[in-house]
Amino acid sequence: MKKYLIMTLAALTLSATAGAQAYKNSRYYNERTGHLDYSQRHNDSFFGQSANYYGLRIGPSFSTVNSDDDNLDGGKSQTGLNVGAVVGFSLSPQAPLYLETGLFYNEKGGKKNLSNGKKMTYDLNYLEMPVVVKYAIEMDGGFSIQPFAGGYFACGVGGKIRNYRDRVAESSFSSQYFKRFDAGLRLGCGIGYDMLYADLSYDIGLANICHDEFDRSHNGCLSLNFGVNF
C-alpha cells in the first residue's frame, strides 16, 4: 500500500508541475479573477477535445461486507487505498453535464472478531471502472460543486483471508470464498477549485460476491478522493 501511495503522489506532483504553465495558457483561464472558469466548457462540441477533462485521484476507502453469513456480517470496516485516473466527456451543449469513467485500484474487505479474542480479516482488492453522470455547478472564486450518480464494475485481483484464531491464511478469491466480479451503484459529490479536486462517494454493492448458494454477501465502501483535473 505504501508503494502505491508513494508512486501516485509522485505522479500527481509531476503532473501538477508539468501543467503549471498550461494553467495560465488554458482557454478557460480568466485573467480578471485569476482562476480557471469552466462555465463555458459545456458550450464546446461533444466531440471536441476541449470538451473533455482528465484527472488523477488518490485517497482512503472504508469498506465493509454485509452478509447472511455470521462470520462476515457485522464486522468492522477495513481501511484501504483507492487510486486511479478518470476522463470526463460533455453530454450536453446547453448544460455542464458530463459522463465520467476511469480505472481504479481499490482495496476493500472487512474484519470480524472471533472467539477467544482473535480476529479474522479479509482483503478484497479490485480493479474498478466507475461510470457516473456528473453535473458541475459553478460557484464564485473558482469553486464548483459536482454531484454525481451512476455505477461501478469491478474485478478482484488479489487479497488474503487471515484467520488469526486458527492461524490460517488463504486467497480471498477462490471457489470456496469470494467471487471476483462485483458491481453496484455509486453516489457522491465532488468539489473543484481550479485544477484541484476532492470528492466523497459511497458504493452500494448489488452483486453477490459470495460463492455460497444460500448466503448472499455485498460490498459497501465509502471513499474520500483527492486529485487534480486537466
Side-chain angles (χ1 to χ4, degrees):
M1 176 174 175
K2 289 183 179 180
K3 180 179 68 174
Y4 290 109
L5 180 61
I6 293 173
M7 292 175 60
T8 307
L9 288 176
L12 287 173
T13 301
L14 291 173
S15 299
T17 301
Q21 184 60 40
Y23 177 83
K24 287 194 174 183
N25 294 333
S26 170
R27 62 179 297 181
Y28 302 111
Y29 182 72
N30 188 323
E31 293 185 0
R32 181 179 62 82
T33 63
H35 299 292
L36 295 181
D37 182 2
Y38 292 96
S39 60
Q40 299 303 315
R41 177 185 286 231
H42 58 274
N43 292 327
D44 295 327
S45 168
F46 174 79
F47 296 101
Q49 181 70 21
S50 58
N52 303 340
Y53 65 88
Y54 308 90
L56 299 174
R57 305 284 188 263
I58 187 171
S61 59
F62 310 94
S63 62
T64 57
V65 172
N66 302 309
S67 177
D68 298 331
D69 188 337
D70 292 336
N71 290 324
L72 300 176
D73 194 55
K76 298 179 180 179
S77 63
Q78 183 93 312
T79 302
L81 176 67
N82 185 39
V83 58
V86 300
V87 57
F89 306 93
S90 175
L91 290 178
S92 171
Q94 288 82 34
L97 189 66
Y98 303 93
L99 176 68
E100 183 178 288
T101 185
L103 187 64
F104 283 78
Y105 170 77
N106 199 352
E107 297 177 340
K108 297 183 179 181
K111 50 190 173 184
K112 182 73 179 285
N113 290 327
L114 302 176
S115 59
N116 300 323
K118 300 296 183 178
K119 65 179 180 179
M120 177 181 68
T121 64
Y122 38 99
D123 303 323
L124 304 173
N125 304 328
Y126 294 95
L127 283 180
E128 290 187 350
M129 184 182 73
V131 181
V132 300
V133 175
K134 175 179 290 188
Y135 189 86
I137 304 170
E138 294 292 329
M139 311 292 287
D140 293 334
F143 286 93
S144 64
I145 304 298
Q146 304 176 20
F148 56 86
Y152 73 92
F153 303 91
C155 178
V157 294
K160 289 286 187 180
I161 296 177
R162 296 178 176 86
N163 187 324
Y164 289 84
R165 180 183 60 190
D166 301 330
R167 301 186 64 81
V168 174
E170 300 178 85
S171 175
S172 297
F173 297 107
S174 67
S175 59
Q176 291 181 317
Y177 298 111
F178 295 98
K179 299 176 182 177
R180 291 187 181 273
F181 176 75
D182 185 28
L185 302 177
R186 174 166 295 183
L187 304 172
C189 186
I191 182 169
Y193 176 72
D194 291 344
M195 294 177 65
L196 302 179
Y197 178 84
D199 70 31
L200 184 68
S201 65
Y202 187 75
D203 291 345
I204 305 171
L206 299 181
N208 181 18
I209 60 173
C210 184
H211 280 287
D212 195 307
E213 295 183 2
F214 302 97
D215 294 331
R216 300 184 65 82
S217 301
H218 303 277
N219 276 316
C221 184
L222 179 70
S223 298
L224 176 62
N225 280 320
F226 303 92
V228 291
N229 284 336
F230 305 98

